[in-house]
């Protein structure tokens, strides 16, 4: 048993990547029941009653352990942590922000925390701040990225593994048993999977979003500048037009605040669908149980 599996309390070291404020307790429960680690995405939720409802629903749907992702910048995080502790949640992941002050609070509540980082420097800082594990998110991942020069999962995971003494989880580019086994070979104890679970049967993502992932080939995602961050998105015809026009300032063209509405409605002119480069490998919508079982299979 690895330290990570011991911490998560599940069968397979596969963590559901949080997707903005998109929450489905049914998806969380399906992932847990298939042996992996389901997670609520609480990073952008400020309404504590909504948090209680999501936690209760997930708890009613599965007797397996599940976790939650928190954003350190979210002013409701302390209240959310207390709700999670009361509900018996034992592991959270933390994103976006300095982990220094939150880790003592997490530990006081009897919870373990895994911090999400995009670089070696931040990995070392997070361990110093008390993180019990790290999610190492490579450049190919879906979601928000920094504007710094970044490394791929293939480079960043072994680099961080060589410098820290806590379990490392690889995120970015993992959709099947090949990626899973590669991550373990790089020294990760587990993987975090985002895009592959968006394109699952149980995912509540809009059908157009799932189709956009299925239609992707290599080179069909790009980093869209959004002020001091980038968002990895799928290139659609409207975005392609802008990318081809040297007079367009992309950072002025889209507002990240529109992303939840765009993703809910499937109106990707409002904000493009977000997904990782691994979309190119995803050709079928499948139930999460089938995705997880294929991922942990020996493969060919
Ligand atoms: C649309 C979208 C939204 C995301 N939102 C979050 C988030 O709120 N917090 C977070 O820590 N990671 C977020 N991520 C990152 C995922 O949880 C996961 O780490 C990432 O998708 C892994 O890379 P993959 O897409 O190649 O599987 C998001 C990813 C996507 C595609």
């Amino acid at each position: 048993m690895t330290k990570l599996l011991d911490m998560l309390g599940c069968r397979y070291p596969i963590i559901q990547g949080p997707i903005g404020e998109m929450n489905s307790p049914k998806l969380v429960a399906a992932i847990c029941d298939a042996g992996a680690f389901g997670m609520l995405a609480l990073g952008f939720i400020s309404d504590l009653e909504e948090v209680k409802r999501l936690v209760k629903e997930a708890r009613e749907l599965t007797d397996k352990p599940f976790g939650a992702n928190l954003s350190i910048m979210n002013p409701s995080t302390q209240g959310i942590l207390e709700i999670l502790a009361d509900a018996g949640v034992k592991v959270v992941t933390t994103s976006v922000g300095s982990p220094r002050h939150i880790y003592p609070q997490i530990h006081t509540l009897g919870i373990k925390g895994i911090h999400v980082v995009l670089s070696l420097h931040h990995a070392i800082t997070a361990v110093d701040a008390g993180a019990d594990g790290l999610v190492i998110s490579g450049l190919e991942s879906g979601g928000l990225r920094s504007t710094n020069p970044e490394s791929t999962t293939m480079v960043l995971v072994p680099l961080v593994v060589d410098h820290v003494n806590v379990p490392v989880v690889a995120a970015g580019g993992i959709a099947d048993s090949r990626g899973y086994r590669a991550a373990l070979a790089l020294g990760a104890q587990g993987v975090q999977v985002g895009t592959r679970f968006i394109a699952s049967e149980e995912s509540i993502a809009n059908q157009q979003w799932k189709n956009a992932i299925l239609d992707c080939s290599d080179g069909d995602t790009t980093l869209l500048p959004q002020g001091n961050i980038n968002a990895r998105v799928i290139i659609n015809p409207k975005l392609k037009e802008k990318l081809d026009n040297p007079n367009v300032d992309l950072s002025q063209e889209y507002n990240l605040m529109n992303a939840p509405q765009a993703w809910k409605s499937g109106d990707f002119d409002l904000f493009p669908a977000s997904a990782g480069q691994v979309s190119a490998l995803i050709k079928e919508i499948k139930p999460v149980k089938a995705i997880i079982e294929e991922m942990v299979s020996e493969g060919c």
Side-chain angles (χ1 to χ4, degrees):
M1 160 98 56
T2 62
K3 256 189 179 176
L4 178 74
L5 273 180
D6 190 39
M7 200 189 313
L8 300 177
C10 58
R11 183 165 180 204
Y12 304 125
I14 299 173
I15 299 178
Q16 175 189 0
I19 304 297
E21 53 190 56
M22 192 171 74
N23 271 299
S24 162
K26 275 193 194 142
L27 175 61
V28 171
I31 288 174
C32 293
D33 290 345
F37 195 70
M39 288 229 295
L40 291 168
L42 305 180
F44 298 95
I45 298 191
S46 52
D47 177 355
L48 296 183
E49 289 309 310
E50 172 69 355
V51 172
K52 282 185 195 159
R53 186 190 68 75
L54 289 167
V55 172
K56 182 165 177 280
E57 211 178 313
R59 180 52 74 233
E60 283 167 1
L61 290 169
T62 182
D63 57 1
K64 304 277 189 306
F66 62 87
N69 173 253
L70 310 173
S71 164
I72 295 173
M73 314 278 274
N74 181 351
S76 299
T77 287
Q78 178 63 33
I80 295 175
L81 270 171
E82 284 163 16
I83 293 168
L84 294 173
D86 283 348
V89 169
K90 295 282 179 235
V91 179
V92 296
T93 61
T94 55
S95 312
V96 202
S98 163
R100 190 147 308 279
H101 298 297
I102 197 160
Y103 271 80
Q105 295 168 18
I106 290 173
H107 291 151
T108 302
L109 290 165
I111 297 177
K112 298 242 189 258
I114 302 178
H115 192 56
V116 182
V117 292
L118 317 183
S119 70
L120 174 62
H121 166 73
H122 288 115
I124 291 170
T125 312
V127 174
D128 284 349
D132 303 289
L134 297 167
V135 170
I136 304 300
S137 173
L139 172 65
E140 56 271 70
S141 295
L144 298 178
R145 310 294 314 165
S146 79
T147 51
N148 300 321
E150 292 187 339
S151 300
T152 56
T153 303
M154 192 76 153
V155 172
L156 195 56
V157 169
L159 185 64
V160 172
V161 166
D162 283 347
H163 285 83
V164 301
N165 56 3
V166 298
V168 162
V169 176
I174 298 150
D176 60 26
S177 63
R178 296 167 297 180
Y180 174 77
R181 283 180 287 143
L184 300 188
L186 294 174
Q189 289 188 15
V191 298
Q192 175 163 292
V193 173
T195 302
R196 178 65 268 199
F197 286 144
I198 297 176
S200 69
E201 238 171 68
E202 294 89 340
S203 157
I204 56 167
N206 188 290
Q207 190 61 41
Q208 278 115 304
W209 191 357
K210 295 184 186 180
N211 291 344
I213 292 173
L214 297 187
D215 288 344
C216 269
S217 188
D218 63 323
D220 284 350
T221 72
T222 191
L223 291 174
L224 187 65
Q226 292 291 290
N228 58 355
I229 51 168
N230 286 328
R232 182 169 291 288
V233 297
I234 296 175
I235 302 170
N236 60 28
K238 180 173 175 186
L239 176 55
K240 172 97 179 62
E241 221 173 86
K242 294 178 193 296
L243 286 167
D244 289 344
N245 183 345
N247 300 319
V248 166
D249 174 4
L250 271 177
S251 61
Q252 302 299 316
E253 292 293 313
Y254 293 96
N255 183 346
L256 188 59
M257 302 310 265
N258 291 331
Q261 199 196 330
W263 299 344
K264 213 173 274 173
S265 65
D267 177 3
F268 299 132
D269 283 351
L270 197 57
F271 194 88
S274 178
Q277 290 185 347
V278 77
S279 302
L281 294 177
I282 301 172
K283 291 292 155 233
E284 205 186 328
I285 307 294
K286 291 186 191 170
V288 290
K289 189 168 189 298
I291 293 170
I292 291 166
E293 282 175 358
E294 188 282 331
M295 203 171 272
V296 298
S297 69
E298 290 301 312
C300 46

